[in-house]
Amino acid sequence: MVTSKNYQIQLDGQRYSVDDPVITGQQLLDLAGKRPADEYLVFQVLQGGQLEEVRLDETTDLRKPGLERFITFQSDRSFRLVIDGRRFEWGRPLINGLELKKLAGVDPATYGIWLEVRGAEDRAIADNELVDLQQPGVERFFTGKKTTTQGNSFLPAKDREYLAGRGLQFDEIVDGSNKGVIIRGFPLPSGRFDVGQADLLILLPFGYPDAPPDMFFVLPWIKLAQIAKYPKAADQPFPFNGQQWQRWSRHNNEWRPGVDGIWTMLKRVEHALEVAA
């Protein structure tokens, strides 16, 4: 005896049972009562939260393991955005912060989301704040776990997330016209210097992270262990936050705006310390 099999799907948050294992976008809209169909878009929710449009005459296979999820929008076009480097499609011109977090698959209560702003400080998006996706270009967002800092924070959330992920303690300090991040107890290459760790100061220029940091500074002043001398181009003081820092004149001419951040600056610092002579 041949028996039919039903397939469970979720459509706009509602569960449906269908007996067709290969279903079209038109059938999905009919199931949800979305008419006329040409005024709607239907998307399949992929693993990882990304959305993939299912056109009216396009089929999707329900025989794959797991509950297949779909959402619909009343719209005649979709909009692209990027969150944490992943590309998403969205069926409305507006999207709020909570919807962005859900797309990214992060906990809305413990994560924040920011809109990348070239040449200026990234903009935090509140859960109920709407972002217009109709602006020229693809809007790019990133998420980060909310952190608590004393005073005003100016370090981009991605940088704070990176430093916290490495277990580095840091302070964000404004001294006159200079903004700097001080990384406490930064580990130095083993055996190369007369101390094993030092505080590391990185000054952030206006426009960072599109504009590159340049030199870096350490405290206490450090000498090469074998010759008991300061490394080349690292013997000048720089005043910051009431202290005289040891300036390391190591310049940065290969910064990639929109790509690089505090993580690439730290790699430059680590390399400079390794090859210091």
Side-chain angles (χ1 to χ4, degrees), residues 3-277:
T3 59
S4 62
K5 180 179 179 180
N6 287 334
Y7 299 89
Q8 302 296 315
I9 66 170
Q10 187 182 76
L11 181 57
D12 289 340
Q14 300 292 320
R15 277 182 174 264
Y16 294 88
S17 178
V18 298
D19 55 12
D20 189 344
V22 181
I23 194 167
T24 66
Q26 175 75 60
Q27 288 174 290
L28 288 165
L29 291 174
D30 289 344
L31 194 62
K34 306 292 186 183
R35 297 189 180 89
D38 59 0
E39 293 184 2
Y40 287 86
L41 299 176
V42 59
F43 292 86
Q44 185 167 9
V45 183
L46 305 178
Q47 286 188 344
Q50 290 160 292
L51 303 181
E52 183 176 83
E53 185 178 358
V54 183
R55 296 188 299 275
L56 294 181
D57 59 349
E58 187 177 6
T59 60
T60 184
D61 192 338
L62 304 179
R63 292 170 293 194
K64 293 176 289 187
L67 177 70
E68 300 298 329
R69 295 187 297 145
F70 303 87
I71 59 174
T72 66
F73 296 93
Q74 188 170 14
S75 177
D76 61 354
R77 55 175 290 202
S78 62
F79 301 85
R80 287 182 178 174
L81 60 148
V82 174
I83 310 175
D84 292 338
R86 294 180 295 161
R87 194 175 71 179
F88 292 84
E89 298 276 345
W90 187 246
R92 294 198 306 267
L94 300 175
I95 187 169
N96 65 36
L98 183 59
E99 290 168 326
L100 287 164
K101 291 178 185 178
K102 289 181 177 178
L103 282 180
V106 300
D107 179 6
T110 58
Y111 276 76
I113 190 157
W114 289 262
L115 172 66
E116 291 187 11
V117 181
R118 299 291 299 273
E121 188 171 351
D122 299 321
R123 180 160 67 92
I125 306 298
D127 284 353
N128 61 353
E129 182 180 354
L130 290 172
V131 178
D132 188 350
L133 302 177
Q134 300 176 98
Q135 302 300 318
V138 177
E139 300 291 6
R140 296 179 180 275
F141 303 86
F142 60 89
T143 64
K145 204 154 191 173
K146 296 175 181 176
T147 57
T148 301
T149 59
Q150 295 182 347
N152 294 325
S153 175
F154 50 79
L155 199 61
K158 285 192 296 188
D159 288 9
R160 294 199 301 273
E161 183 82 0
Y162 173 80
L163 294 174
R166 282 191 55 174
L168 297 171
Q169 301 296 317
F170 62 96
D171 296 307
E172 298 167 70
I173 295 176
V174 178
D175 182 11
S177 60
N178 289 319
K179 291 182 178 179
V181 55
I182 297 176
I183 300 173
R184 304 295 183 184
F186 190 73
L188 304 176
S190 178
R192 287 195 56 79
F193 298 98
D194 54 354
V195 295
Q197 63 181 31
D199 287 350
L200 171 66
L201 167 64
I202 296 173
L203 296 180
L204 303 182
F206 176 78
Y208 176 85
D210 288 325
D214 193 29
M215 297 179 284
F216 64 92
F217 313 84
V218 300
L219 197 69
W221 290 47
I222 59 178
K223 293 181 178 178
L224 293 166
Q226 288 189 341
I227 59 176
K229 292 184 177 179
Y230 297 125
K232 295 177 182 175
D235 59 354
Q236 296 299 311
F238 178 81
F240 185 83
N241 198 35
Q243 295 175 296
Q244 294 293 327
W245 292 74
Q246 180 185 10
R247 188 182 73 187
W248 285 60
S249 296
R250 306 294 189 273
H251 302 290
N252 187 0
N253 300 317
E254 297 182 359
W255 191 257
R256 300 167 298 175
V259 176
D260 289 332
I262 198 74
W263 49 91
T264 42
M265 182 61 187
L266 287 188
K267 293 304 177 188
R268 288 185 56 242
V269 171
E270 290 168 349
H271 177 72
L273 294 170
E274 287 283 356
V275 301

